[in-house]
Every structure is written in structure tokens, then in C-alpha cells.
């Protein structure tokens, strides 16, 4: 009787340790996704700051358009946090693309603005933040892939369901966004 009890206790202990190990692994994967989303938020915030600086530069050339752009940025900008969704990110990306397009229209009307060194430097900063945001999106999607793969594999799928882990959505890249913005502003 004692050997059977010990065997059952060992089996239960192994299962409990495996569940704890699985839960910890899933938490790490989930935290990586949250961290990646936070990084995207930082990059988007930096891009909005650069867009505001670009809008300020247009004041000397087109005061009304500049003020309208700045108000648009302020009213439609939101903070992306670890709890944000891919839809939140894409909504902010669309706002940035629209604003860049409107700045491009103003810039085309004023060649002196396009040649302005501050404008060129600020546009370079916008492009740098765009590249960093793309990298952050890649990291986010990679982290989502790892979590989604892990929670779909049996027996982890059983434990993940019990512990409340769910598959996450991917960020879908707007393919023409960067190309259009880069071409229209330079």
C-alpha cells in the first residue's frame, strides 16, 4: 500500500511541477508580448512628437493648415500601452499616415519648406521612428507567434485554457503606408 501511495504522490508532484513550469513559461511569453506592445507605443509617441514638430515648421508657410494639423494630432492621438490591441496600433498608424499626407500637401506648395534643414532633420527623425516602430512590430508578432504556438500544443493547450491564456492577434502591416509617406514627403 505504501509503495502505491508514494507512486501516486510522485506522479501528482510531477504533474503539479509541470503545471507550474508551464504557467511560468506562458507568463514569460505573455509579458514579452506586453513589452513589445509598449515599445510600439514608445515609437508611435516619438513619431507623433516629430509630426507635431513638422506641423510647427509649417506655421511660417501655412499657418491655418499647421494649426489644423496640430489640433488633429492632439485630438486623435492616444497612448499605446502593454494592454493595447493591434487595432489600437493600426488606428494610430492611420492617423500618422493621414497627417504625413497632409504635411506632404503643404510641403509641395512651399519648396522653401522642403529645403529647410530643420524640416529635413525632422523628416529623418520621422523615418527613424518609423523604422524602429516596424522593428517593434516584428518583435511583437514574433512574440505572439511563440505564445500562440505554445498554447495550441497538447497538453499545454489544456493547462493554458484553465489558466486563462488565449491566443493573441497579430499586427497586420499596412504595406503601402511607409512607401507612400516616404515618397510624398521627400
Amino acid at each position: 500500500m505504501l509503495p502505491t501511495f508514494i507512486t501516486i504522490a510522485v506522479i501528482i508532484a510531477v504533474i503539479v511541477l509541470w503545471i507550474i513550469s508551464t504557467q511560468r513559461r506562458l507568463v514569460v511569453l505573455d509579458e514579452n508580448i506586453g513589452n513589445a506592445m509598449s515599445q510600439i507605443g514608445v515609437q508611435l509617441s516619438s513619431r507623433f512628437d516629430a509630426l507635431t514638430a513638422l506641423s510647427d515648421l509649417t506655421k511660417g508657410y501655412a499657418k491655418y493648415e499647421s494649426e489644423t494639423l496640430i489640433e488633429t494630432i492632439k485630438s486623435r492621438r492616444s497612448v499605446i500601452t502593454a494592454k493595447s490591441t493591434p487595432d489600437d496600433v493600426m488606428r494610430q498608424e492611420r492617423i500618422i499616415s493621414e497627417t504625413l499626407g497632409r504635411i506632404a500637401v503643404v510641403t509641395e506648395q512651399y519648396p522653401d519648406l522642403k529645403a529647410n534643414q530643420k524640416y529635413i532633420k525632422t523628416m529623418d527623425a520621422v523615418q527613424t521612428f518609423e523604422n524602429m516602430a516596424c522593428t517593434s512590430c516584428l518583435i511583437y508578432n514574433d512574440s505572439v507567434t511563440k505564445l500562440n504556438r505554445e498554447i495550441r500544443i497538447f497538453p499545454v493547450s489544456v493547462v493554458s485554457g484553465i489558466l486563462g491564456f488565449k491566443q493573441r492577434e497579430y499586427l497586420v502591416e499596412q504595406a503601402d503606408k511607409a512607401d507612400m509617406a516616404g515618397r510624398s514627403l521627400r
Side-chain angles (χ1 to χ4, degrees), residues 124-140:
D124 288 342
V126 168
Q127 188 60 46
T128 299
F129 294 130
E130 168 70 19
N131 294 339
M132 291 167 67
C134 287
T135 300
S136 296
C137 288
L138 291 172
I139 292 169
Y140 173 86

Side-chain angles (χ1 to χ4, degrees), residues 40-50 77-79 96 129:
I40 291 168
V42 168
Q43 302 313 320
L44 287 176
S45 180
S46 297
R47 286 176 66 203
F48 272 115
D49 292 342
R77 178 181 184 175
S78 66
V79 177
I96 289 171
F129 294 130

Side-chain angles (χ1 to χ4, degrees), residues 135-168:
T135 300
S136 296
C137 288
L138 291 172
I139 292 169
Y140 173 86
N141 281 343
D142 184 55
S143 298
V144 168
T145 297
K146 289 175 183 174
L147 177 70
N148 288 351
R149 183 183 310 129
E150 189 74 24
I151 65 176
R152 289 179 57 212
I153 297 173
F154 182 81
V156 176
S157 60
V158 175
V159 174
S160 65
I162 292 169
L163 297 175
F165 289 93
K166 293 180 176 36
Q167 287 191 20
R168 296 284 199 94

Side-chain angles (χ1 to χ4, degrees), residues 47-62:
R47 286 176 66 203
F48 272 115
D49 292 342
L51 285 176
T52 302
L54 277 176
S55 297
D56 281 341
L57 286 172
T58 64
K59 272 186 186 174
Y61 298 89

Side-chain angles (χ1 to χ4, degrees), residues 107-119:
T107 304
E108 289 302 318
Q109 295 173 1
Y110 301 97
D112 291 348
L113 175 60
K114 201 175 206 177
N116 182 309
Q117 285 301 315
K118 283 186 179 181
Y119 176 84

Side-chain angles (χ1 to χ4, degrees), residues 16-41:
V16 167
L17 289 174
W18 176 80
I19 290 172
I20 291 170
S21 171
T22 299
Q23 187 268 348
R24 288 182 177 191
R25 191 170 60 247
L26 293 173
V27 166
V28 167
L29 293 171
D30 191 56
E31 285 295 318
N32 287 343
I33 292 170
N35 181 44
M37 184 60 81
S38 293
Q39 290 302 313
I40 291 168

